[in-house]
Amino acid sequence: MGAGGFQTEVESLKAEGTNFVKLGQDFQASVVRLMNGLSALGAGPPGTPPAGGGQKEPEKSFGEQFMSGLTTFDSKADMPPWGDDDIGEKFGVVYEGVRDGMYESMGHLSSKLQEIGKALNSMSKNYAEGEDFSDSLIKQHVPNPQGSDTSTKFVSRLEGPKSH
């Protein structure tokens, strides 16, 4: 611990540094889950590459495509969920801009949280080393020629101010 009114709790710095790193990692995992969820809805790129190296499903036969087209919205499979009409296209431009900016800023925030955690861990290590060094200096015996006089001097008489 430091001298005077300033004290550093090295273990608290270290613990909070570890917490910040974990917070950044958890936040990044949440961002990936969000991106994957939106991707599953057709509203953005995936947060992680698809399993299997990005291989596509085998092509459906004409009969499968025909039956699927009668019972599902497969004919709209390549379109975003908001549609491709005039209003949908305008919405998509705004949405994709905001989405992409959000992905970028959330990724940046995640990395900064982890950087803060690493910096706090480094700070705790530096404080501990500094305090150990200071403590070792304080404990060293350094001879003081002015204070090593074996004879003790006492004040034997006090004089008041002289008046003229």
Side-chain angles (χ1 to χ4, degrees), residues 6-7 12 14 60 110 115 121 129 131 154 158 162:
F6 183 74
Q7 294 184 344
S12 291
K14 188 176 180 180
K60 292 181 182 178
S110 169
E115 283 179 30
N121 282 331
E129 289 172 357
E131 288 176 0
F154 293 101
L158 291 175
K162 295 182 182 181

Side-chain angles (χ1 to χ4, degrees), residues 19-42:
N19 288 342
F20 262 91
V21 170
K22 175 113 175 62
L23 177 65
Q25 291 167 343
D26 290 348
F27 188 74
Q28 181 61 38
S30 295
V31 170
V32 169
R33 280 193 310 274
L34 172 65
M35 291 176 75
N36 288 339
L38 289 173
S39 177
L41 296 172

Side-chain angles (χ1 to χ4, degrees), residues 155-162:
V155 175
S156 58
R157 187 181 94 174
L158 291 175
E159 292 181 15
K162 295 182 182 181

Side-chain angles (χ1 to χ4, degrees), residues 2-122:
F6 183 74
Q7 294 184 344
T8 304
E9 294 185 21
V10 175
E11 290 306 313
S12 291
L13 276 175
K14 188 176 180 180
E16 293 309 317
T18 301
N19 288 342
F20 262 91
V21 170
K22 175 113 175 62
L23 177 65
Q25 291 167 343
D26 290 348
F27 188 74
Q28 181 61 38
S30 295
V31 170
V32 169
R33 280 193 310 274
L34 172 65
M35 291 176 75
N36 288 339
L38 289 173
S39 177
L41 296 172
T48 54
Q55 298 172 348
K56 292 184 176 182
E57 292 182 25
E59 202 57 40
K60 292 181 182 178
S61 71
F62 177 76
E64 290 172 323
Q65 290 177 14
F66 180 74
M67 283 302 291
S68 180
L70 292 176
T71 59
T72 67
F73 291 111
D74 276 356
S75 62
K76 305 284 185 188
D78 292 334
M79 284 188 238
W82 46 83
D84 65 347
D85 61 351
D86 190 43
I87 293 174
E89 284 181 20
K90 289 178 182 174
F91 174 82
V93 168
V94 172
Y95 168 81
E96 288 172 357
V98 171
R99 178 203 63 209
D100 293 347
M102 181 183 69
Y103 286 170
E104 184 178 330
S105 66
M106 289 188 319
H108 183 72
L109 176 59
S110 169
S111 67
K112 290 301 175 188
L113 288 170
Q114 292 179 59
E115 283 179 30
I116 290 169
K118 290 173 185 174
L120 287 172
N121 282 331
S122 179

